[in-house]
Amino acid sequence: LADLVGQSFLSKCPVTVKHNEIDRAVFKPTPSDFRERYGLEGKFVVLGVASPWTVRKGLEDFLHLAEELDESYAIVLVGLDGNQISGLPTGVVGLARSNSTYQLASIYSAADVFFNPTKEENFPTVNLEAQACGTPVVVYDVGGCGETLSDSRSLVVSNFQEAKAAIERMAHILGVGA
C-alpha cells in the first residue's frame, strides 16, 4: 500500500507502514488433542481460517483441493456457517467461528500447513497467527500476503496448481501422501 501511495497525488507526503500485530503470548506452539478429537492422526492436515468464508476468501479453492487430494490428507476449515458445514464433502472438517484465541492457537499448532487462498487482502493476521504457532503458510501472491511470511518453510504461489504442488511437497517431506 505504501508503494501505491507513492504513485498517487500523495507521493510527497510522508508514509509510515505499521503492520498488524498478534498476541505472541497466545499464538505460539500449543499442545492440543485436536487431531485425536477429529480422527486426523496420520493425516497431513491443511488448515484454513476465515470469517466469513466467501468466494473472496478462497472457499472454492479448498473445495477443489478436497477433490484432488487423496485420503492421506485432511482439510480443516474454521469460520464456516451452518449451511457451509452441512454441505462439505468427505474429508473436510468444518468448524464454526471460534471466539477463543487459545482454541485457534491449538488448531493452528495441530495443522501441518496453513493455506490462505484469499483473492484480495491487505496484511492478513491469520498468516501471522499460523506461523507464530509453528505452522508454515502457503499464500497466493495478492495484496500484502507475501509480506506476512517469516517462516522459511512458508511459500508465495501464483495459482491453485502451484499451491496444491507446494502442499503435496510439504506432505512428502513429512512422509505423508501419495
Side-chain angles (χ1 to χ4, degrees), residues 68-133:
E68 294 205 8
L69 295 176
D70 67 35
E71 66 281 346
S72 63
Y73 295 83
I75 293 174
V76 175
L77 299 176
V78 178
L80 297 167
D81 66 34
N83 289 334
Q84 289 170 322
I85 291 171
S86 65
L88 290 175
T90 303
V92 179
V93 175
L95 303 172
R97 178 183 176 171
S98 174
N99 290 322
S100 167
T101 53
Y102 296 101
Q103 180 186 34
L104 281 173
S106 71
I107 296 170
Y108 283 125
S109 297
D112 293 299
V113 66
F114 181 78
F115 178 35
N116 187 356
T118 187
K119 308 295 187 237
E120 55 185 44
E121 198 71 63
N122 47 26
F123 194 81
T125 56
V126 290
N127 297 349
L128 303 175
E129 293 167 353
Q131 290 173 110
C133 292

Side-chain angles (χ1 to χ4, degrees), residues 4 20 30 33 35 40 46 50 55 73 78-79 84 88 93 106 115 119 124 134 138 144 164 169 178:
L4 292 174
N20 295 335
T30 304
D33 67 346
R35 284 176 175 264
L40 304 176
V46 182
V55 171
Y73 295 83
V78 178
Q84 289 170 322
L88 290 175
V93 175
S106 71
F115 178 35
K119 308 295 187 237
V138 174
K164 178 182 174 239
R169 276 192 309 276

Side-chain angles (χ1 to χ4, degrees), residues 3-31:
D3 291 342
L4 292 174
V5 170
Q7 297 171 22
S8 76
F9 69 93
L10 298 171
S11 63
K12 302 290 187 224
C13 297
V15 175
T16 302
V17 175
K18 293 192 177 214
H19 292 127
N20 295 335
E21 294 184 15
I22 59 168
D23 185 347
R24 292 187 180 272
V26 173
F27 292 103
K28 60 185 179 185
T30 304

